[in-house]
Amino acid sequence: MFYNNKILFFIILFLMSTVLQYFVGQQVSLLPYIDNHFFLLIILLFMIITVSFLSAVCAFIVFYIFYKLISVLFKIKKDLNKCFCVWLFFTVFSYISIFFIFYKSISY
Amino acid sequence: MTKKKFCIFNINLCISIIITLLFFVFCVFFYSLKTKEYSPDAFENKADYFFYNEEYLNALKYYKKIINMGKISNKNYINLAISAIKIENYKMAIKYLKLLLKNRDDLPESYYLLAYANYYQLNKEERNENNIKSIIDYLQKSIELNERYKLAYSLLGKIYEDSEQYEHARTWYRKALFSDIENAEEFYGFIANTYFKELRFDDAIKYYKKAIDKNKNYIAAYCSIADIYTLQKDYDKAEKMYKQVINKDKEYILPYYKTGNLYYEQGNYTEAIKWYEQALEINKDNESVNYYMGMCYKKINDLSQALKYLKIAAYCGSDEAVDELRTMLELF
């Protein structure tokens, strides 16, 4: 689920950041020293990836603890695909952070 | 290990793309819902509120939004440009002023602001004749539209003053006076300042006195005349002028401080202290007054008092006081 093709996901993330950059630029580029849109795009992309990755790792840790607890209680032997889980959380949090930034940039 | 092929019919990919598209649709829907809430009139009130409270960044944000929403008026463009200039975003000011000039080219303010933004956007090194020519053209256009528009005259004069062409500067200031402009005393003051910069003190005094004739409460002229007398070491006349300023405005710290300096320069430290004390009654955190107060006490060998005032001056940001304290601590 959610872009097993990781390069495709990052391309879409980049495109979404480009759109987002326009809305953020409307509010941020009022100051004279923030008028480089490419720089703004890079910052946005970096911010989205970092925040989503950290959130994904945290969410995964919580999820893993619960999974372990449940597997002990119900004696489930199936092991968890950790990389897949982190990736799934990462993609979900990327969308959430994009929406959050979008919401903030269109709020007056 | 076999490499996975990229397939458009991959169910995983299809679901992902559908979710992404749904996300897009949701964002667009949310955006249209959010913008429907906004009314240009409410935004205009907010923008004006921020503008008149000198919160220029917020004012700029709202004026830009109003113009993007299609509520176009001269006032909004002019206020947007002023807000942009206030936060030193000259590029944005120029962009919107040029847009305004496309619709209305008969507003002297817009030409003046365009000249102002263009001038201050240039670094000091970039202010050469070629760059300044277009700026001067804008200002002349502004004066053509309103020959009593004093800001345009004063900026023209200032541009020439900055490039040390004082005769040209005076020509524009005189033109302003011929146009029967408001606050003529300011322009007499500007002319006097150019003479002051050229060290032509007699001419400077003549024009400062003309400024005073126009407005008896024009304190800057009194202070400048006193400064000239101080430079000429005519301390009695300088003190008289400062006393006249004190009579006009008792809460103005400068004449007390400057009179103190007159006595300090003459080596009469006890008399200087009296004047500095009066200055400190008006503002006890003035770094220069505290510094000179400390220096006076140092000269009369009252080191504990000297340290007290120099410390205050250093705390208020005086570099000279810091150096003086360092020297004093090294000595003891």
Side-chain angles (χ1 to χ4, degrees), chain B residues 1 11 17 40 81-82 87 90 97 104 113-114 165 179 192 203 211 219 221 242 250 265 273 289 331:
Chain B
M1 206 174 150
I11 184 81
I17 287 174
I82 294 172
I87 60 163
Y90 300 116
L97 285 166
R104 287 282 304 265
L113 289 170
L114 196 55
Q165 297 181 52
S179 314
D203 291 321
I219 283 173
Y242 287 131
K250 288 193 169 47
E265 277 185 36
I273 286 171
V289 179
L331 282 172

Side-chain angles (χ1 to χ4, degrees), chain A residues 1 3-5 30 95 106, chain B residues 6 12-13 16 20 38 89:
Chain A
M1 180 89 139
Y3 305 117
N4 280 1
N5 189 329
L30 300 174
Y95 277 66
I106 61 164
Chain B
F6 183 80
N12 209 332
L13 183 70
S16 306
T20 308
Y38 300 142
N89 192 345

Side-chain angles (χ1 to χ4, degrees), chain B residues 58-90:
Chain B
N58 283 325
L60 179 59
K61 189 167 92 174
Y62 284 100
Y63 281 126
K64 200 176 161 203
K65 184 71 185 166
I66 298 163
I67 290 169
N68 287 345
M69 285 167 100
K71 187 161 187 186
I72 293 164
S73 74
N74 301 334
K75 187 208 90 185
N76 289 343
Y77 272 110
I78 297 275
N79 286 356
L80 182 147
I82 294 172
S83 307
I85 286 170
K86 290 282 183 186
I87 60 163
E88 297 181 4
N89 192 345
Y90 300 116

